[in-house]
Amino acid sequence: MAAVVGERMVALGLNQQELIRRSQLSKGTIREIQYNLGDRKRSPLTLEALSTALELHPQHLVSVLEHRSPPQPGEPAAKSADDVPGYLELIVHLLREISGKIDVIDVRTERLDRIENNVQLIVDQFHRLTEKAPGEDSATG
């Protein structure tokens, strides 16, 4: 988690004081997380405040801590294992994403079908043009 915090601070051009101001967390808490000091369990609210201050999804650092793929900003996420509404919102979001990808695949499939038909027409025309007319021999062709 310290690496994520450090990399994000660099990416945003934040120093420790600005991160403290944005997150409204204590200097000690920020320092412990930033430098991976201590083995304390952090509250989800602390990690959410820090994620938000780093302009990440509110559940980003919780996901990192739990070795899960972090959600993207704006993407819904369950806040805990029993957050059924959160999981339902995430499922709906993912189904919409899948539906959008299927629509893109359908459009590309239609384009490929048109290209395939055009190529077949060109091949057929080529064969007709290169076939010998009846009664022609190879010497006159």
Side-chain angles (χ1 to χ4, degrees), residues 103-114:
D103 290 344
V104 168
I105 290 170
D106 288 345
V107 167
R108 289 182 178 164
T109 301
E110 288 173 13
R111 286 181 188 162
L112 286 173
D113 286 346
R114 285 195 305 269

Side-chain angles (χ1 to χ4, degrees), residues 60-75:
H60 190 100
L61 292 176
V62 171
S63 298
V64 168
L65 190 63
E66 295 174 353
H67 306 287
R68 292 184 286 121
S69 229
Q72 297 302 309
E75 182 179 309

Side-chain angles (χ1 to χ4, degrees), residues 5-6 13 21 24 31-32 36-37 39 57 59 65 69 71-72 74 79 92 98-99 110 112 115 122 124 128 130 141:
V5 171
R21 188 190 68 72
Q24 299 182 359
R31 190 172 163 278
E32 285 177 12
N36 200 24
L37 304 173
D39 210 10
H57 188 284
Q59 297 299 311
L65 190 63
S69 229
Q72 297 302 309
K79 293 180 179 172
V92 168
I98 291 168
S99 177
E110 288 173 13
L112 286 173
I115 290 169
I122 292 168
D124 291 346
R128 279 195 299 273
T130 57

Side-chain angles (χ1 to χ4, degrees), residues 4-88:
V4 171
V5 171
E7 289 170 11
R8 192 67 183 155
M9 286 176 69
V10 169
L12 296 173
L14 298 178
N15 60 28
Q16 190 181 64
Q17 283 305 116
E18 180 61 17
L19 188 57
I20 291 167
R21 188 190 68 72
R22 285 182 174 203
S23 66
Q24 299 182 359
L25 298 172
S26 73
K27 181 177 182 176
T29 299
I30 295 290
R31 190 172 163 278
E32 285 177 12
I33 293 171
Q34 188 179 3
Y35 298 108
N36 200 24
L37 304 173
D39 210 10
R40 224 183 333 175
K41 181 171 169 67
R42 297 291 168 191
S43 91
L45 290 177
T46 297
L47 298 177
E48 185 174 320
L50 189 53
S51 293
T52 303
L54 292 168
E55 298 176 16
L56 298 167
H57 188 284
Q59 297 299 311
H60 190 100
L61 292 176
V62 171
S63 298
V64 168
L65 190 63
E66 295 174 353
H67 306 287
R68 292 184 286 121
S69 229
Q72 297 302 309
E75 182 179 309
K79 293 180 179 172
S80 69
D82 2 331
D83 180 13
V84 175
Y87 277 111
L88 289 175

